[in-house]
Amino acid sequence: MTSGPAVRWNNNIHYHRRILDAVPAGARTALDVGTGNGLLAAELHQRVPEVTAVDPDATVLASARTEDEGVRWVQGDVLTYPFPPASFDVVASVAALHHLPDLDRALARLAELTAPGGVVAVVGLARSSRPLDALYDVAGLVQQRRYRRRYGIWEHSAPMVWPPPHTYAAVRRSAARVLPGAAWSRLPMWRYSLVWRKPPPA
């Protein structure tokens, strides 16, 4: 891995730990969906021997490749790229699912690619629609200012979609439909997390 700044921080990097903590013991393969600049894929590769990272944007992938030459970098759309079903012990995504308008289809695809006993781990963005969301937004603003004073903000070069097309409530309903039993958390700094373990073979 190439060396970079001592600390790179932004709202997405802050929550990488949510993904890394969900990696099951003994995981051998991982897929980073919408890898962007590749920071999560490189961190996953420190824990998982075989990591594939997919993104449709060729320019941002050129940047990602400098993070870790041992990751398999793939340009493509996760919904249509011919990954074999059930081929990854970990299917992870940070700040990418809001780029995919059909959330049910996107979550179903992540589940399809996950091996039995494996994990889907997502940190995503959504849109506030309820009073409780506003409280998280205020808390997130305070938290972000504190971290920004300490670390600054590392600016990624991946394409952005704002505002997100889905509300937090819609994401939670979609997860309940497609990934029954998934653990859902609303997070400060305009994020949510979603962790689902695919049932092992009977």
Side-chain angles (χ1 to χ4, degrees):
M1 183 186 302
T2 59
S3 61
V7 175
R8 289 187 286 191
W9 186 91
N10 60 31
N11 294 2
N12 295 327
I13 298 169
H14 181 81
Y15 288 119
H16 282 188
R17 177 59 54 188
R18 289 267 174 166
I19 304 293
L20 299 173
D21 286 348
V23 173
R28 302 292 300 173
T29 56
L31 176 67
D32 180 18
V33 175
T35 192
N37 292 106
L39 275 63
L40 177 64
E43 289 188 67
L44 281 169
H45 197 210
Q46 295 176 20
R47 297 180 176 221
V48 182
E50 299 177 25
V51 175
T52 301
V54 62
D55 199 285
D57 190 278
T59 301
V60 78
L61 273 178
S63 168
R65 287 188 176 94
T66 67
E67 293 294 328
D68 188 331
E69 295 178 355
V71 172
R72 178 191 175 203
W73 306 100
V74 174
Q75 183 183 356
D77 182 343
V78 69
L79 296 178
T80 57
Y81 193 86
F83 294 119
S87 54
F88 299 100
D89 299 318
V90 181
V91 176
S93 178
V94 171
L97 286 191
H98 65 291
H99 289 256
L100 305 174
D102 188 338
L103 191 55
D104 280 18
R105 182 186 176 201
L107 291 176
R109 176 61 169 160
L110 301 192
E112 177 188 37
L113 295 175
T114 305
V119 169
V120 173
V122 172
V123 171
L125 285 72
R127 179 165 39 86
S128 296
S129 63
R130 303 175 302 172
L132 182 60
D133 292 330
L135 294 178
Y136 276 99
D137 292 344
V138 171
L141 184 62
V142 172
Q143 188 173 354
Q144 185 191 56
R145 286 176 175 172
R146 183 171 70 249
Y147 282 111
R148 184 170 187 166
R149 285 196 299 270
R150 184 174 181 181
Y151 299 120
I153 288 187
W154 184 79
E155 298 289 351
H156 66 78
S157 61
M160 293 189 292
V161 171
W162 192 265
H166 321 107
T167 65
Y168 292 101
V171 174
R172 191 167 189 174
R173 288 194 299 269
S174 179
R177 285 192 300 271
V178 181
L179 306 176
W184 156 276
S185 297
R186 174 70 164 91
L187 305 172
M189 298 193 296
W190 310 281
R191 301 294 186 272
Y192 65 87
S193 71
L194 183 64
V195 176
W196 176 74
R197 298 187 182 276
K198 190 168 187 175

